[in-house]
Amino acid sequence: MFEKVREQIAELLGIEAATITADSSLITDLKADSMDIATLLLEVEEKYGIEINEDEIENLKTVGDIVKYIEANKK
């Protein structure tokens, strides 16, 4: 799952996948802005058939957080 999410983020942000770790902060390390994050989360919802509650979005700060959320909620 991490590999898929990492590739998705790398493609979206135009960066090398190898530079992304589970501990990478979307904002601090990967320099994603709010639009990048919104786009990523919409893609994740579509790709994995999940819905991310607005309350939970603020808890998705790292790549690992997103992976854990997908694994816990995918159908």
Side-chain angles (χ1 to χ4, degrees):
M1 180 63 63
F2 169 72
E3 294 295 325
K4 291 179 184 178
V5 173
R6 179 167 78 167
E7 290 296 325
Q8 190 173 5
I9 292 170
E11 186 176 317
L12 177 70
L13 299 178
I15 58 177
E16 289 290 323
T19 64
I20 301 171
T21 68
D23 294 327
S24 294
S25 164
L26 295 171
I27 296 170
T28 307
D29 299 325
L30 305 180
K31 309 296 184 220
D33 62 24
S34 58
M35 187 61 85
D36 293 329
I37 294 169
T39 301
L40 172 65
L41 296 180
L42 283 171
E43 288 178 2
V44 165
E45 285 180 327
E46 283 184 27
K47 186 171 186 173
Y48 298 101
I50 61 175
E51 188 172 322
I52 302 171
N53 295 329
E54 287 186 35
D55 299 340
E56 298 184 21
I57 290 173
E58 62 191 42
N59 296 325
L60 302 177
K61 297 180 193 281
T62 68
V63 176
D65 293 340
I66 294 172
V67 171
K68 287 178 196 163
Y69 188 88
I70 294 168
E71 289 173 343
N73 293 283
K74 89 175 178 180
K75 300 171 184 169

Short mmCIF file of all heavy atoms in Angstrom, two decimals:
data_model
loop_
_atom_site.label_atom_id
_atom_site.label_comp_id
_atom_site.label_asym_id
_atom_site.label_seq_id
_atom_site.Cartn_x
_atom_site.Cartn_y
_atom_site.Cartn_z
N MET A 1 0.83 -1.19 0.00
CA MET A 1 0.00 0.00 0.00
C MET A 1 0.87 1.26 0.00
O MET A 1 0.59 2.20 -0.73
CB MET A 1 -0.92 -0.03 1.22
CG MET A 1 -1.82 1.18 1.31
SD MET A 1 -2.99 1.37 -0.03
CE MET A 1 -3.99 -0.08 0.17
N PHE A 2 1.93 1.26 0.81
CA PHE A 2 2.81 2.43 0.87
C PHE A 2 3.37 2.77 -0.50
O PHE A 2 3.40 3.93 -0.90
CB PHE A 2 3.95 2.20 1.88
CG PHE A 2 5.02 3.24 1.79
CD1 PHE A 2 4.79 4.54 2.24
CD2 PHE A 2 6.25 2.95 1.22
CE1 PHE A 2 5.77 5.52 2.13
CE2 PHE A 2 7.23 3.92 1.13
CZ PHE A 2 6.99 5.20 1.57
N GLU A 3 3.81 1.73 -1.23
CA GLU A 3 4.40 1.97 -2.56
C GLU A 3 3.41 2.66 -3.49
O GLU A 3 3.77 3.58 -4.22
CB GLU A 3 4.87 0.65 -3.18
CG GLU A 3 6.02 0.00 -2.46
CD GLU A 3 7.29 0.82 -2.52
OE1 GLU A 3 7.54 1.48 -3.55
OE2 GLU A 3 8.04 0.82 -1.53
N LYS A 4 2.15 2.21 -3.47
CA LYS A 4 1.13 2.81 -4.34
C LYS A 4 0.89 4.27 -3.98
O LYS A 4 0.80 5.13 -4.85
CB LYS A 4 -0.18 2.03 -4.23
CG LYS A 4 -0.12 0.65 -4.83
CD LYS A 4 -1.45 -0.04 -4.65
CE LYS A 4 -1.39 -1.47 -5.17
NZ LYS A 4 -2.66 -2.16 -4.96
N VAL A 5 0.77 4.54 -2.70
CA VAL A 5 0.53 5.91 -2.24
C VAL A 5 1.74 6.78 -2.55
O VAL A 5 1.61 7.92 -3.00
CB VAL A 5 0.18 5.94 -0.73
CG1 VAL A 5 0.09 7.36 -0.21
CG2 VAL A 5 -1.13 5.20 -0.48
N ARG A 6 2.92 6.24 -2.34
CA ARG A 6 4.15 6.99 -2.61
C ARG A 6 4.23 7.37 -4.09
O ARG A 6 4.55 8.52 -4.42
CB ARG A 6 5.37 6.17 -2.20
CG ARG A 6 6.67 6.88 -2.49
CD ARG A 6 7.83 6.24 -1.82
NE ARG A 6 8.24 5.06 -2.55
CZ ARG A 6 9.38 4.42 -2.33
NH1 ARG A 6 10.20 4.85 -1.38
NH2 ARG A 6 9.71 3.37 -3.02
N GLU A 7 3.92 6.44 -4.97
CA GLU A 7 3.94 6.73 -6.41
C GLU A 7 2.91 7.80 -6.76
O GLU A 7 3.17 8.69 -7.57
CB GLU A 7 3.67 5.46 -7.21
CG GLU A 7 4.80 4.45 -7.18
CD GLU A 7 6.08 4.97 -7.82
OE1 GLU A 7 6.01 5.73 -8.81
OE2 GLU A 7 7.16 4.61 -7.32
N GLN A 8 1.74 7.70 -6.16
CA GLN A 8 0.67 8.66 -6.40
C GLN A 8 1.10 10.07 -5.98
O GLN A 8 0.89 11.04 -6.71
CB GLN A 8 -0.57 8.22 -5.63
CG GLN A 8 -1.82 8.96 -5.96
CD GLN A 8 -3.04 8.34 -5.27
OE1 GLN A 8 -2.92 7.41 -4.47
NE2 GLN A 8 -4.19 8.87 -5.56
N ILE A 9 1.72 10.18 -4.83
CA ILE A 9 2.18 11.47 -4.32
C ILE A 9 3.31 12.01 -5.20
O ILE A 9 3.33 13.19 -5.55
CB ILE A 9 2.62 11.37 -2.86
CG1 ILE A 9 1.40 11.09 -1.97
CG2 ILE A 9 3.35 12.63 -2.40
CD1 ILE A 9 1.73 10.73 -0.55
N ALA A 10 4.24 11.15 -5.58
CA ALA A 10 5.37 11.57 -6.42
C ALA A 10 4.86 12.13 -7.74
O ALA A 10 5.33 13.18 -8.21
CB ALA A 10 6.31 10.40 -6.65
N GLU A 11 3.90 11.45 -8.34
CA GLU A 11 3.35 11.90 -9.62
C GLU A 11 2.63 13.24 -9.45
O GLU A 11 2.81 14.16 -10.25
CB GLU A 11 2.39 10.84 -10.15
CG GLU A 11 1.88 11.16 -11.54
CD GLU A 11 1.00 10.05 -12.08
OE1 GLU A 11 1.35 8.87 -11.91
OE2 GLU A 11 -0.04 10.38 -12.67
N LEU A 12 1.84 13.35 -8.41
CA LEU A 12 1.08 14.57 -8.17
C LEU A 12 1.99 15.78 -7.94
O LEU A 12 1.77 16.86 -8.47
CB LEU A 12 0.14 14.40 -6.97
CG LEU A 12 -0.66 15.63 -6.56
CD1 LEU A 12 -1.73 15.93 -7.60
CD2 LEU A 12 -1.30 15.42 -5.20
N LEU A 13 3.04 15.58 -7.15
CA LEU A 13 3.92 16.69 -6.78
C LEU A 13 5.11 16.86 -7.71
O LEU A 13 5.88 17.81 -7.57
CB LEU A 13 4.41 16.51 -5.33
CG LEU A 13 3.34 16.48 -4.25
CD1 LEU A 13 3.96 16.23 -2.88
CD2 LEU A 13 2.52 17.77 -4.25
N GLY A 14 5.29 15.92 -8.64
CA GLY A 14 6.41 16.01 -9.57
C GLY A 14 7.76 15.84 -8.90
O GLY A 14 8.72 16.55 -9.21
N ILE A 15 7.83 14.89 -7.96
CA ILE A 15 9.09 14.63 -7.26
C ILE A 15 9.44 13.15 -7.38
O ILE A 15 8.62 12.33 -7.78
CB ILE A 15 9.01 15.04 -5.77
CG1 ILE A 15 7.89 14.29 -5.05
CG2 ILE A 15 8.84 16.54 -5.64
CD1 ILE A 15 7.79 14.59 -3.56
N GLU A 16 10.67 12.81 -7.03
CA GLU A 16 11.13 11.43 -7.07
C GLU A 16 10.50 10.61 -5.95
O GLU A 16 10.55 11.03 -4.78
CB GLU A 16 12.65 11.37 -6.93
CG GLU A 16 13.41 11.86 -8.12
CD GLU A 16 13.29 10.91 -9.30
OE1 GLU A 16 13.26 9.69 -9.11
OE2 GLU A 16 13.19 11.43 -10.44
N ALA A 17 9.93 9.47 -6.30
CA ALA A 17 9.30 8.61 -5.29
C ALA A 17 10.31 8.17 -4.22
O ALA A 17 9.95 8.03 -3.06
CB ALA A 17 8.67 7.40 -5.95
N ALA A 18 11.55 8.00 -4.62
CA ALA A 18 12.58 7.53 -3.68
C ALA A 18 12.81 8.51 -2.53
O ALA A 18 13.32 8.11 -1.48
CB ALA A 18 13.89 7.29 -4.43
N THR A 19 12.43 9.76 -2.71
CA THR A 19 12.64 10.75 -1.65
C THR A 19 11.52 10.72 -0.61
O THR A 19 11.61 11.41 0.40
CB THR A 19 12.74 12.18 -2.23
OG1 THR A 19 11.50 12.52 -2.84
CG2 THR A 19 13.87 12.30 -3.23
N ILE A 20 10.47 9.96 -0.87
CA ILE A 20 9.30 9.93 0.01
C ILE A 20 9.37 8.73 0.94
O ILE A 20 9.52 7.60 0.50
CB ILE A 20 8.00 9.86 -0.83
CG1 ILE A 20 7.91 11.07 -1.77
CG2 ILE A 20 6.78 9.78 0.09
CD1 ILE A 20 6.78 10.98 -2.77
N THR A 21 9.25 8.99 2.25
CA THR A 21 9.21 7.92 3.24
C THR A 21 7.85 7.96 3.95
O THR A 21 7.10 8.92 3.80
CB THR A 21 10.32 8.07 4.30
OG1 THR A 21 10.03 9.23 5.10
CG2 THR A 21 11.69 8.21 3.66
N ALA A 22 7.58 6.95 4.74
CA ALA A 22 6.33 6.93 5.50
C ALA A 22 6.26 8.10 6.48
O ALA A 22 5.19 8.58 6.81
CB ALA A 22 6.18 5.61 6.25
N ASP A 23 7.42 8.57 6.94
CA ASP A 23 7.48 9.67 7.89
C ASP A 23 7.50 11.04 7.24
O ASP A 23 7.51 12.06 7.93
CB ASP A 23 8.71 9.53 8.79
CG ASP A 23 8.63 8.32 9.69
OD1 ASP A 23 7.51 7.95 10.11
OD2 ASP A 23 9.68 7.73 9.99
N SER A 24 7.50 11.09 5.90
CA SER A 24 7.54 12.38 5.20
C SER A 24 6.28 13.19 5.50
O SER A 24 5.16 12.70 5.31
CB SER A 24 7.64 12.18 3.69
OG SER A 24 8.86 11.58 3.33
N SER A 25 6.48 14.41 5.95
CA SER A 25 5.38 15.33 6.18
C SER A 25 4.95 15.90 4.83
O SER A 25 5.80 16.35 4.05
CB SER A 25 5.81 16.47 7.10
OG SER A 25 4.89 17.54 7.04
N LEU A 26 3.65 15.89 4.57
CA LEU A 26 3.16 16.40 3.29
C LEU A 26 3.55 17.86 3.10
O LEU A 26 3.95 18.27 2.01
CB LEU A 26 1.64 16.25 3.21
CG LEU A 26 1.12 14.81 3.20
CD1 LEU A 26 -0.39 14.80 3.34
CD2 LEU A 26 1.54 14.10 1.94
N ILE A 27 3.43 18.65 4.14
CA ILE A 27 3.69 20.08 4.04
C ILE A 27 5.16 20.41 4.23
O ILE A 27 5.78 21.05 3.37
CB ILE A 27 2.82 20.86 5.05
CG1 ILE A 27 1.33 20.67 4.69
CG2 ILE A 27 3.18 22.34 5.06
CD1 ILE A 27 0.36 21.17 5.73
N THR A 28 5.74 19.97 5.33
CA THR A 28 7.12 20.35 5.67
C THR A 28 8.14 19.71 4.73
O THR A 28 9.00 20.40 4.20
CB THR A 28 7.44 19.95 7.12
OG1 THR A 28 6.44 20.50 7.98
CG2 THR A 28 8.80 20.47 7.53
N ASP A 29 8.06 18.39 4.54
CA ASP A 29 9.08 17.68 3.77
C ASP A 29 8.80 17.69 2.26
O ASP A 29 9.72 17.83 1.46
CB ASP A 29 9.18 16.22 4.23
CG ASP A 29 9.59 16.11 5.69
OD1 ASP A 29 10.37 16.95 6.15
OD2 ASP A 29 9.10 15.19 6.37
N LEU A 30 7.54 17.53 1.89
CA LEU A 30 7.21 17.39 0.47
C LEU A 30 6.72 18.68 -0.16
O LEU A 30 6.45 18.73 -1.35
CB LEU A 30 6.17 16.27 0.29
CG LEU A 30 6.57 14.92 0.88
CD1 LEU A 30 5.48 13.90 0.65
CD2 LEU A 30 7.89 14.44 0.29
N LYS A 31 6.58 19.72 0.65
CA LYS A 31 6.20 21.06 0.18
C LYS A 31 4.85 21.08 -0.54
O LYS A 31 4.63 21.85 -1.46
CB LYS A 31 7.28 21.65 -0.75
CG LYS A 31 8.69 21.61 -0.20
CD LYS A 31 8.84 22.45 1.04
CE LYS A 31 10.28 22.45 1.50
NZ LYS A 31 10.43 22.35 2.94
N ALA A 32 3.92 20.23 -0.10
CA ALA A 32 2.57 20.22 -0.68
C ALA A 32 1.78 21.39 -0.12
O ALA A 32 1.88 21.70 1.07
CB ALA A 32 1.87 18.90 -0.34
N ASP A 33 1.01 22.05 -0.98
CA ASP A 33 0.14 23.11 -0.49
C ASP A 33 -1.26 22.55 -0.29
O ASP A 33 -1.51 21.37 -0.53
CB ASP A 33 0.15 24.33 -1.42
CG ASP A 33 -0.36 24.03 -2.82
OD1 ASP A 33 -1.12 23.06 -3.00
OD2 ASP A 33 0.00 24.78 -3.74
N SER A 34 -2.18 23.39 0.16
CA SER A 34 -3.52 22.90 0.48
C SER A 34 -4.23 22.33 -0.74
O SER A 34 -4.97 21.35 -0.64
CB SER A 34 -4.36 24.00 1.12
OG SER A 34 -4.44 25.12 0.26
N MET A 35 -3.99 22.90 -1.92
CA MET A 35 -4.60 22.38 -3.14
C MET A 35 -4.04 20.99 -3.49
O MET A 35 -4.78 20.10 -3.89
CB MET A 35 -4.39 23.35 -4.30
CG MET A 35 -5.14 22.96 -5.54
SD MET A 35 -6.92 22.90 -5.31
CE MET A 35 -7.32 24.59 -5.59
N ASP A 36 -2.73 20.82 -3.32
CA ASP A 36 -2.11 19.51 -3.56
C ASP A 36 -2.71 18.46 -2.64
O ASP A 36 -3.02 17.35 -3.07
CB ASP A 36 -0.59 19.56 -3.31
CG ASP A 36 0.17 20.43 -4.29
OD1 ASP A 36 -0.26 20.53 -5.46
OD2 ASP A 36 1.19 21.01 -3.88
N ILE A 37 -2.87 18.81 -1.38
CA ILE A 37 -3.40 17.86 -0.40
C ILE A 37 -4.85 17.53 -0.72
O ILE A 37 -5.25 16.36 -0.69
CB ILE A 37 -3.23 18.40 1.03
CG1 ILE A 37 -1.73 18.47 1.37
CG2 ILE A 37 -3.97 17.53 2.03
CD1 ILE A 37 -1.41 19.21 2.64
N ALA A 38 -5.64 18.53 -1.08
CA ALA A 38 -7.04 18.29 -1.43
C ALA A 38 -7.14 17.37 -2.65
O ALA A 38 -7.94 16.42 -2.66
CB ALA A 38 -7.75 19.61 -1.71
N THR A 39 -6.32 17.61 -3.65
CA THR A 39 -6.30 16.77 -4.85
C THR A 39 -5.91 15.35 -4.50
O THR A 39 -6.54 14.38 -4.94
CB THR A 39 -5.33 17.36 -5.90
OG1 THR A 39 -5.75 18.68 -6.23
CG2 THR A 39 -5.29 16.50 -7.15
N LEU A 40 -4.86 15.20 -3.70
CA LEU A 40 -4.40 13.88 -3.29
C LEU A 40 -5.49 13.11 -2.56
O LEU A 40 -5.76 11.95 -2.86
CB LEU A 40 -3.16 14.01 -2.39
CG LEU A 40 -2.68 12.71 -1.75
CD1 LEU A 40 -2.20 11.72 -2.80
CD2 LEU A 40 -1.60 12.99 -0.73
N LEU A 41 -6.14 13.76 -1.62
CA LEU A 41 -7.17 13.08 -0.83
C LEU A 41 -8.38 12.71 -1.68
O LEU A 41 -8.97 11.64 -1.49
CB LEU A 41 -7.56 13.92 0.39
CG LEU A 41 -6.42 14.14 1.40
CD1 LEU A 41 -6.90 14.98 2.56
CD2 LEU A 41 -5.82 12.83 1.88
N LEU A 42 -8.73 13.55 -2.64
CA LEU A 42 -9.82 13.19 -3.57
C LEU A 42 -9.44 11.97 -4.40
O LEU A 42 -10.26 11.07 -4.60
CB LEU A 42 -10.14 14.37 -4.49
CG LEU A 42 -10.97 15.49 -3.87
CD1 LEU A 42 -11.04 16.68 -4.82
CD2 LEU A 42 -12.37 15.01 -3.53
N GLU A 43 -8.20 11.93 -4.88
CA GLU A 43 -7.73 10.78 -5.65
C GLU A 43 -7.73 9.52 -4.79
O GLU A 43 -8.10 8.44 -5.27
CB GLU A 43 -6.32 11.04 -6.18
CG GLU A 43 -6.26 12.04 -7.31
CD GLU A 43 -4.84 12.31 -7.80
OE1 GLU A 43 -3.89 11.68 -7.31
OE2 GLU A 43 -4.70 13.17 -8.68
N VAL A 44 -7.31 9.64 -3.55
CA VAL A 44 -7.29 8.50 -2.63
C VAL A 44 -8.72 7.99 -2.41
O VAL A 44 -8.96 6.77 -2.44
CB VAL A 44 -6.62 8.89 -1.29
CG1 VAL A 44 -6.91 7.87 -0.20
CG2 VAL A 44 -5.11 9.04 -1.48
N GLU A 45 -9.65 8.90 -2.19
CA GLU A 45 -11.05 8.49 -1.99
C GLU A 45 -11.57 7.72 -3.19
O GLU A 45 -12.19 6.67 -3.04
CB GLU A 45 -11.92 9.72 -1.74
CG GLU A 45 -11.76 10.33 -0.37
CD GLU A 45 -12.62 11.55 -0.15
OE1 GLU A 45 -12.87 12.31 -1.11
OE2 GLU A 45 -13.05 11.74 1.00
N GLU A 46 -11.31 8.23 -4.39
CA GLU A 46 -11.78 7.57 -5.61
C GLU A 46 -11.10 6.23 -5.82
O GLU A 46 -11.75 5.23 -6.12
CB GLU A 46 -11.52 8.46 -6.83
CG GLU A 46 -12.50 9.59 -6.97
CD GLU A 46 -12.26 10.39 -8.25
OE1 GLU A 46 -11.73 9.84 -9.23
OE2 GLU A 46 -12.63 11.57 -8.25
N LYS A 47 -9.79 6.20 -5.69
CA LYS A 47 -9.01 5.00 -5.98
C LYS A 47 -9.32 3.85 -5.03
O LYS A 47 -9.36 2.69 -5.43
CB LYS A 47 -7.52 5.33 -5.94
CG LYS A 47 -6.63 4.19 -6.37
CD LYS A 47 -5.20 4.66 -6.52
CE LYS A 47 -4.33 3.56 -7.08
NZ LYS A 47 -2.98 4.02 -7.37
N TYR A 48 -9.55 4.18 -3.75
CA TYR A 48 -9.72 3.12 -2.75
C TYR A 48 -11.15 2.98 -2.25
O TYR A 48 -11.42 2.19 -1.35
CB TYR A 48 -8.75 3.35 -1.58
CG TYR A 48 -7.32 3.30 -2.04
CD1 TYR A 48 -6.59 4.46 -2.24
CD2 TYR A 48 -6.71 2.08 -2.33
CE1 TYR A 48 -5.28 4.42 -2.70
CE2 TYR A 48 -5.40 2.03 -2.79
CZ TYR A 48 -4.70 3.20 -2.98
OH TYR A 48 -3.41 3.16 -3.44
N GLY A 49 -12.07 3.76 -2.82
CA GLY A 49 -13.48 3.64 -2.46
C GLY A 49 -13.76 3.96 -1.00
O GLY A 49 -14.56 3.30 -0.35
N ILE A 50 -13.08 4.98 -0.50
CA ILE A 50 -13.30 5.39 0.89
C ILE A 50 -13.74 6.85 0.92
O ILE A 50 -13.64 7.56 -0.07
CB ILE A 50 -12.03 5.22 1.76
CG1 ILE A 50 -10.87 6.08 1.22
CG2 ILE A 50 -11.63 3.76 1.85
CD1 ILE A 50 -9.63 6.06 2.07
N GLU A 51 -14.22 7.26 2.07
CA GLU A 51 -14.58 8.66 2.27
C GLU A 51 -13.81 9.16 3.48
O GLU A 51 -13.84 8.54 4.54
CB GLU A 51 -16.08 8.81 2.50
CG GLU A 51 -16.53 10.24 2.51
CD GLU A 51 -18.05 10.36 2.54
OE1 GLU A 51 -18.73 9.56 1.88
OE2 GLU A 51 -18.52 11.26 3.24
N ILE A 52 -13.11 10.27 3.30
CA ILE A 52 -12.33 10.84 4.38
C ILE A 52 -13.14 11.97 5.00
O ILE A 52 -13.44 12.95 4.33
CB ILE A 52 -10.97 11.35 3.88
CG1 ILE A 52 -10.19 10.21 3.21
CG2 ILE A 52 -10.17 11.96 5.04
CD1 ILE A 52 -8.93 10.65 2.50
N ASN A 53 -13.48 11.82 6.27
CA ASN A 53 -14.24 12.85 6.98
C ASN A 53 -13.39 14.10 7.14
O ASN A 53 -12.19 14.02 7.38
CB ASN A 53 -14.65 12.36 8.37
CG ASN A 53 -15.62 11.22 8.30
OD1 ASN A 53 -16.41 11.12 7.38
ND2 ASN A 53 -15.56 10.34 9.29
N GLU A 54 -14.03 15.26 7.04
CA GLU A 54 -13.31 16.52 7.19
C GLU A 54 -12.58 16.60 8.53
O GLU A 54 -11.50 17.16 8.62
CB GLU A 54 -14.26 17.70 7.04
CG GLU A 54 -14.69 17.92 5.61
CD GLU A 54 -15.52 19.18 5.43
OE1 GLU A 54 -15.24 20.18 6.13
OE2 GLU A 54 -16.43 19.14 4.60
N ASP A 55 -13.19 16.03 9.57
CA ASP A 55 -12.57 16.05 10.90
C ASP A 55 -11.24 15.28 10.91
O ASP A 55 -10.35 15.58 11.71
CB ASP A 55 -13.49 15.41 11.94
CG ASP A 55 -14.81 16.15 12.08
OD1 ASP A 55 -14.87 17.33 11.67
OD2 ASP A 55 -15.77 15.56 12.59
N GLU A 56 -11.13 14.29 10.06
CA GLU A 56 -9.94 13.44 10.06
C GLU A 56 -8.84 13.95 9.15
O GLU A 56 -7.69 13.52 9.27
CB GLU A 56 -10.33 12.01 9.70
CG GLU A 56 -11.30 11.45 10.71
CD GLU A 56 -11.65 10.00 10.46
OE1 GLU A 56 -10.90 9.31 9.78
OE2 GLU A 56 -12.69 9.57 10.97
N ILE A 57 -9.17 14.86 8.25
CA ILE A 57 -8.18 15.37 7.31
C ILE A 57 -7.00 16.00 8.05
O ILE A 57 -5.84 15.79 7.67
CB ILE A 57 -8.82 16.38 6.32
CG1 ILE A 57 -9.74 15.62 5.37
CG2 ILE A 57 -7.76 17.16 5.56
CD1 ILE A 57 -10.55 16.51 4.45
N GLU A 58 -7.28 16.74 9.11
CA GLU A 58 -6.19 17.41 9.84
C GLU A 58 -5.24 16.42 10.52
O GLU A 58 -4.12 16.78 10.88
CB GLU A 58 -6.74 18.40 10.85
CG GLU A 58 -7.59 17.78 11.92
CD GLU A 58 -8.34 18.82 12.75
OE1 GLU A 58 -8.86 19.78 12.18
OE2 GLU A 58 -8.40 18.62 13.98
N ASN A 59 -5.65 15.16 10.68
CA ASN A 59 -4.78 14.14 11.28
C ASN A 59 -3.89 13.45 10.25
O ASN A 59 -3.03 12.67 10.61
CB ASN A 59 -5.62 13.09 12.00
CG ASN A 59 -6.38 13.68 13.17
OD1 ASN A 59 -5.89 14.57 13.86
ND2 ASN A 59 -7.59 13.19 13.40
N LEU A 60 -4.12 13.72 8.97
CA LEU A 60 -3.34 13.08 7.90
C LEU A 60 -2.18 14.00 7.53
O LEU A 60 -2.22 14.70 6.53
CB LEU A 60 -4.24 12.79 6.70
CG LEU A 60 -5.46 11.91 6.99
CD1 LEU A 60 -6.32 11.76 5.75
CD2 LEU A 60 -5.05 10.56 7.54
N LYS A 61 -1.14 13.95 8.34
CA LYS A 61 -0.01 14.87 8.17
C LYS A 61 1.16 14.25 7.44
O LYS A 61 1.95 14.95 6.81
CB LYS A 61 0.45 15.39 9.53
CG LYS A 61 -0.62 16.19 10.25
CD LYS A 61 -0.11 16.66 11.59
CE LYS A 61 -1.17 17.18 12.47
NZ LYS A 61 -1.71 18.40 12.37
N THR A 62 1.29 12.93 7.54
CA THR A 62 2.42 12.25 6.89
C THR A 62 1.90 11.22 5.88
O THR A 62 0.72 10.86 5.89
CB THR A 62 3.31 11.51 7.91
OG1 THR A 62 2.57 10.41 8.47
CG2 THR A 62 3.79 12.43 9.02
N VAL A 63 2.81 10.75 5.06
CA VAL A 63 2.46 9.71 4.09
C VAL A 63 1.98 8.47 4.84
O VAL A 63 0.99 7.84 4.46
CB VAL A 63 3.68 9.39 3.18
CG1 VAL A 63 3.36 8.25 2.24
CG2 VAL A 63 4.11 10.64 2.42
N GLY A 64 2.63 8.14 5.93
CA GLY A 64 2.25 6.99 6.74
C GLY A 64 0.84 7.12 7.30
O GLY A 64 0.10 6.14 7.38
N ASP A 65 0.46 8.34 7.69
CA ASP A 65 -0.90 8.58 8.20
C ASP A 65 -1.93 8.24 7.12
O ASP A 65 -2.97 7.64 7.42
CB ASP A 65 -1.09 10.05 8.60
CG ASP A 65 -0.27 10.46 9.81
OD1 ASP A 65 0.17 9.59 10.58
OD2 ASP A 65 -0.06 11.69 9.97
N ILE A 66 -1.65 8.63 5.89
CA ILE A 66 -2.59 8.35 4.79
C ILE A 66 -2.67 6.86 4.54
O ILE A 66 -3.76 6.31 4.37
CB ILE A 66 -2.17 9.12 3.52
CG1 ILE A 66 -2.31 10.62 3.75
CG2 ILE A 66 -3.00 8.67 2.31
CD1 ILE A 66 -1.75 11.49 2.64
N VAL A 67 -1.54 6.18 4.52
CA VAL A 67 -1.52 4.73 4.30
C VAL A 67 -2.31 4.01 5.38
O VAL A 67 -3.14 3.15 5.08
CB VAL A 67 -0.06 4.20 4.24
CG1 VAL A 67 -0.03 2.68 4.22
CG2 VAL A 67 0.66 4.78 3.02
N LYS A 68 -2.09 4.37 6.63
CA LYS A 68 -2.82 3.74 7.74
C LYS A 68 -4.33 3.98 7.62
O LYS A 68 -5.12 3.09 7.88
CB LYS A 68 -2.32 4.28 9.08
CG LYS A 68 -0.96 3.76 9.48
CD LYS A 68 -0.50 4.37 10.78
CE LYS A 68 0.98 4.17 10.96
NZ LYS A 68 1.55 5.06 11.96
N TYR A 69 -4.70 5.20 7.23
CA TYR A 69 -6.12 5.53 7.08
C TYR A 69 -6.74 4.68 5.98
O TYR A 69 -7.84 4.14 6.16
CB TYR A 69 -6.30 7.02 6.77
CG TYR A 69 -7.75 7.43 6.80
CD1 TYR A 69 -8.34 7.83 7.99
CD2 TYR A 69 -8.53 7.38 5.66
CE1 TYR A 69 -9.68 8.18 8.04
CE2 TYR A 69 -9.87 7.73 5.69
CZ TYR A 69 -10.44 8.13 6.88
OH TYR A 69 -11.78 8.45 6.92
N ILE A 70 -6.06 4.55 4.85
CA ILE A 70 -6.58 3.74 3.75
C ILE A 70 -6.74 2.30 4.21
O ILE A 70 -7.78 1.68 3.99
CB ILE A 70 -5.65 3.79 2.53
CG1 ILE A 70 -5.63 5.20 1.93
CG2 ILE A 70 -6.08 2.76 1.48
CD1 ILE A 70 -4.54 5.42 0.90
N GLU A 71 -5.72 1.74 4.84
CA GLU A 71 -5.78 0.34 5.27
C GLU A 71 -6.90 0.10 6.28
O GLU A 71 -7.53 -0.95 6.25
CB GLU A 71 -4.42 -0.08 5.85
CG GLU A 71 -3.35 -0.19 4.78
CD GLU A 71 -1.96 -0.44 5.32
OE1 GLU A 71 -1.71 -0.22 6.53
OE2 GLU A 71 -1.10 -0.86 4.52
N ALA A 72 -7.16 1.07 7.13
CA ALA A 72 -8.21 0.91 8.14
C ALA A 72 -9.62 1.09 7.57
O ALA A 72 -10.57 0.57 8.15
CB ALA A 72 -7.98 1.91 9.27
N ASN A 73 -9.73 1.80 6.45
CA ASN A 73 -11.05 2.16 5.96
C ASN A 73 -11.43 1.62 4.59
O ASN A 73 -12.58 1.78 4.18
CB ASN A 73 -11.19 3.69 5.94
CG ASN A 73 -11.17 4.27 7.32
OD1 ASN A 73 -12.14 4.21 8.05
ND2 ASN A 73 -10.02 4.80 7.73
N LYS A 74 -10.51 1.02 3.87
CA LYS A 74 -10.86 0.58 2.51
C LYS A 74 -11.80 -0.61 2.56
O LYS A 74 -11.75 -1.42 3.48
CB LYS A 74 -9.61 0.34 1.67
CG LYS A 74 -9.01 -1.02 1.71
CD LYS A 74 -7.88 -1.09 0.73
CE LYS A 74 -7.26 -2.48 0.83
NZ LYS A 74 -6.17 -2.65 -0.08
N LYS A 75 -12.63 -0.67 1.55
CA LYS A 75 -13.68 -1.69 1.52
C LYS A 75 -13.22 -2.96 0.86
O LYS A 75 -12.35 -3.00 0.08
CB LYS A 75 -14.89 -1.14 0.78
CG LYS A 75 -15.44 0.08 1.46
CD LYS A 75 -16.49 0.75 0.64
CE LYS A 75 -16.93 2.03 1.35
NZ LYS A 75 -17.73 2.90 0.59
#
